[in-house]
Each structure stands twice: as C-alpha cells, then as structure tokens.
Amino acid sequence: MERRRSVYMDYAATTPVRPEVLEAMAPYFSERFGNPSSLYALAREAKEAVEEARGRAAAAIGADPGEVFFTAGGTEADNWAIKGTALRGKGDHIVTSAIEHHAVIHPCRALEKQGYRVTYLPVDEFGRVDPADAEDAIADETILVSVMAANNEIGTIQPIRAIADIAHDHGVPFHTDAVQAIGAYPVDVDDMGADLLALSAHKFGGPKGAGALYIRRGTRVGTFMDGGAQERGRRAGTENVPGIVGLGRAIDLATADIEGHSRRLAAMRDRLIRGILDDIPDTRLNGHPVERLANNVSVAFRYVEGESILLLLDALGIAASTGSACTSASLEPSHVLTACGLPHEEAHGSLRLTLGSRNTEEDVDYVLSVLPGVIGRLRDISPLRGEA
C-alpha cells in the first residue's frame, strides 16, 4: 500500500508538546537550572517556577495550591493514592471498577497479595458503573473507593459525583484517575467530590514524566516516596522543574477553551463513528453512545485481529491503537472490552481512534476512505470468518 499522508489519531496514548509549552520549559534546562531546594538566587528562580505551576494546576481543577503534589506522571499519582491510603487506612478493603487503567488495577492486585481485599465493580455493556453497585460493595473495612473519570480505551464517562457521594455517605475517601479527563471537559474537584485525583501532563499537550496528585486537605494518605523533604515532605526527589513548568503551561492552554475544543473534536468523532458503522458491516461501537469523551472512537470489527489492522493502517500513514498504549504488546484481549461483555474474539478486533488539536476534517476523510478496504482485506483472509 502506498503511504498517502500522515495522520495521528492516538491522542489518548500521548499528545505532542505544544510549542508554547516547549518555550516555557526551555530556560529551566539551561540558564535557570537551579535545584529548588537550595537557598541561593538561581535556586529561588526554580522554586518560584514550581510554585507558579502548582498554582496553575490547582486553578485548573478548582483546588488550593497546597493540595497539589507533583509526581513523575499519572501512574505514580494513582499508585500514591491507592498504596498511600492503604498505608494510613484503618481497614483492608478497596472498591474500584473492573475497567480501570492498569495504573489502578495493578496496585490493587499488589495490595491483594499483601492481604487486602479488593472489590472490582462490574460495568454495563457501555462501560458504566452503576452507583448502586458501589453502595452495595462498601463495607465497614473499606478505606477507599477509586473509579476513573473517563475510560482511556472506550471513552465512557463515569457518574463520578454519584459514586463519590455514596463513598462520603459511608465516611470513605474517593479517588479518581482523571488522566483522560483534563482538557477534555471541565474538571473541578469539588463538583466531582474527589478527595484524590491523578493527572498526567503528556495527555494534554505537556511533557512526559510530569504529573500530579491532588490530595484534599485532611485526607489521610501516607508518604509514597521516601528520601528528601521535597513537596512539603510528602514526595521525595529533586523536582523535575522543566517538566513541572511544562505541566503548568500545558494545563493553562488545555483548559482555556474546553467547550470550543470539545465541540470541534466531537463533530469529527461523530463523522468517524457514522462513517465506520455505515460502511463496514459486522462492526459495533464500544463505549457509551452519549456519555463519552469528545475525541474517542472505539469500534470492534468481527472476524479480524486488531494488531493486523494497526499494521496496515501504519503502512498507510495512520497511527492508531487497539486500546491502552500501556498494554499494546499484550496478547490478552482488553480487560475493558471483556468487562463490557465482548467475546474474546471480538475484543481482539478492536480499534481506537482518538483525536486531538492537529487533526482536520481531511484526516477524517482519509481514514474513512481507507479503513473499509483494510478491514475487507483482512476479512478476506480471516479463518474466523470461515468459521462463522
């Protein structure tokens, strides 16, 4: 196949760093390279930059700057929220959902090996948690309820506030992985009822290796990284000043016009969904048809295998995914799709297209023009179709 154009539709995996973000970061690699923990002027410049970024991140999510702690990314923030709560909690039970990112699932499984109990809430066919199931799962020993704001694979947005209210009614703190939500729709920790919230800069135009955990004042969370007294004694390690500066600038830009940005992406998303479902038979939409991220298109094709789809699309210049970038090398079907009820063979035939700031209507046209041929070619040689 001839490569005709280059189309990036994997913004849920990572985003390009915005030029304004790179510009803001650049001085802190060179002339403003001081360690924020030192006392001289060069160090104070770095410290001031970190605190300015903290203020920007806090403002973007409706928090106080003293409640924002910088991490090396969303995975560390989720681990801190879960394991840190376990360190300080007075029980041994955690409630989460069956479709969380592995940054939540794997810490929970690690705690299970240490004797903790974890309830994995089921989801419906659209990937939504029923708040009533959370209510039923909470016990006297429950120390945390953790449900993601929006799913990274299928785009489904969860009824976070309802679940948080139930947790609080039982005196249990609520954590949400908001990595996919920041910059996609307005996020306010009070409106969501979040006591702990994780975010990651590279999902909204910032650099990789920079994230943050929001910890509501008064929430009991143990120290996760031991060492120095950075981050007010809560998270040791010399601050990644350029990354933190980049996070602060990126979250400003990502939240400046969320409604306009979301409308533009949703229009392209809906065109992609309609075109794929209309032109390619034996195809289903994954995730909620309405309560979903504005940039997420997740579909499952019968009789084909997702990795083959990606290879052929790559040859045509299209970058896409079958699901989470963190598990793209796994031969197992997506735990998200199987939790939604898809049989293994259909879950293996999934495709995720996620849109972002650089995508155009021409990109959508191109994908819709080549994808039917890609699926048709794979189905022609598929042994699965012969068995149907």
Side-chain angles (χ1 to χ4, degrees):
M1 294 183 180
E2 181 183 355
R3 184 184 290 268
R4 291 170 52 190
R5 63 183 289 139
S6 178
V7 175
Y8 183 77
M9 286 193 180
D10 202 17
Y11 278 79
T14 197
T15 62
V17 176
R18 293 172 180 259
E20 305 96 319
V21 173
L22 269 179
E23 183 181 1
M25 293 171 64
Y28 297 93
F29 287 108
S30 51
E31 62 265 27
R32 299 179 187 171
F33 62 88
N35 186 323
S37 296
S38 299
L39 297 178
Y40 39 78
L42 189 65
R44 290 198 299 272
E45 282 186 340
K47 181 68 172 177
E48 288 168 3
V50 167
E51 295 311 315
E52 181 181 351
R54 197 187 311 279
R56 291 182 173 189
I61 61 173
D64 183 271
E67 298 172 311
V68 173
F69 299 85
F70 292 117
T71 68
T75 294
E76 184 192 330
D78 283 330
N79 271 261
W80 185 3
I82 293 163
K83 294 178 180 177
T85 299
L87 285 170
R88 296 289 298 275
K90 295 183 177 180
D92 63 357
H93 179 235
I94 293 171
V95 176
T96 189
S97 86
I99 64 166
E100 295 296 305
H101 190 278
H102 282 147
V104 169
I105 294 282
H106 286 173
C108 286
R109 288 179 179 167
L111 288 174
E112 285 183 286
K113 293 177 182 178
Q114 298 176 33
Y116 287 82
R117 296 181 301 113
V118 180
T119 298
Y120 298 93
L121 301 174
V123 295
D124 63 17
E125 63 181 303
F126 304 119
R128 292 262 285 184
V129 172
D130 185 342
D133 288 334
E135 175 104 58
D136 292 341
I138 295 173
D140 290 341
E141 300 82 16
T142 304
I143 55 175
L144 183 69
V145 174
S146 175
V147 177
M148 68 197 324
N151 187 264
N152 52 299
E153 293 190 30
I154 60 175
T156 296
I157 297 172
Q158 298 293 350
I160 291 300
R161 184 55 194 251
I163 299 170
D165 286 346
I166 289 168
H168 293 156
D169 286 345
H170 290 269
V172 177
F174 177 72
H175 162 251
T176 188
D177 176 342
V179 165
Q180 294 292 332
I182 303 294
Y185 57 87
V187 170
D188 184 283
V189 292
D190 288 335
D191 290 345
M192 298 173 83
D195 302 298
L196 299 153
L197 179 145
L199 59 89
S200 184
H202 79 103
K203 302 296 188 179
F204 50 82
K208 299 172 183 65
L213 177 65
Y214 161 77
I215 305 176
R216 184 178 295 277
R217 189 167 280 106
T219 302
R220 293 172 57 85
V221 182
T223 299
F224 183 60
M225 296 278 283
D226 295 314
Q230 293 89 354
E231 292 301 284
R232 302 185 298 287
R234 303 293 293 274
R235 194 272 187 189
T238 300
E239 296 90 343
N240 172 13
V241 178
I244 290 169
V245 169
L247 185 155
R249 186 72 179 103
I251 205 166
D252 262 356
L253 295 168
T255 56
D257 182 24
I258 290 180
E259 292 185 2
H261 180 63
S262 294
R263 278 197 303 269
R264 189 180 79 84
L265 295 185
M268 290 191 287
R269 174 201 66 188
D270 292 344
R271 269 224 305 140
L272 274 169
I273 291 173
R274 285 195 304 269
I276 291 170
L277 296 183
D278 288 349
D279 293 345
I280 305 176
D282 293 316
T283 302
R284 61 160 285 170
L285 177 68
N286 300 321
H288 200 282
V290 177
E291 297 297 327
R292 70 184 302 127
L293 293 172
N295 74 331
N296 179 285
V297 177
S298 176
V299 289
F301 303 102
R302 295 187 69 187
Y303 316 122
V304 295
E305 199 276 325
E307 185 175 338
S308 299
I309 301 172
L310 297 187
L311 291 172
L312 291 182
L313 289 179
D314 183 50
L316 290 163
I318 299 169
S321 173
T322 57
S324 173
C326 302
T327 57
S328 59
S330 173
L331 297 178
E332 293 297 315
S334 161
H335 70 287
V336 174
L337 296 180
T338 54
C340 294
L342 264 72
H344 281 208
E345 61 272 17
E346 289 190 33
H348 271 301
S350 68
L351 174 69
R352 182 187 71 179
L353 301 166
T354 45
L355 301 151
S357 57
R358 296 184 181 180
N359 288 126
T360 64
E361 296 290 346
E362 289 74 22
D363 291 341
V364 174
D365 292 337
Y366 180 54
V367 170
L368 291 176
S369 72
V370 302
L371 186 57
V374 166
I375 301 302
R377 176 180 172 183
L378 292 173
R379 283 176 172 170
D380 286 342
I381 60 173
S382 171
L384 296 174
R385 194 167 193 176
E387 296 171 359

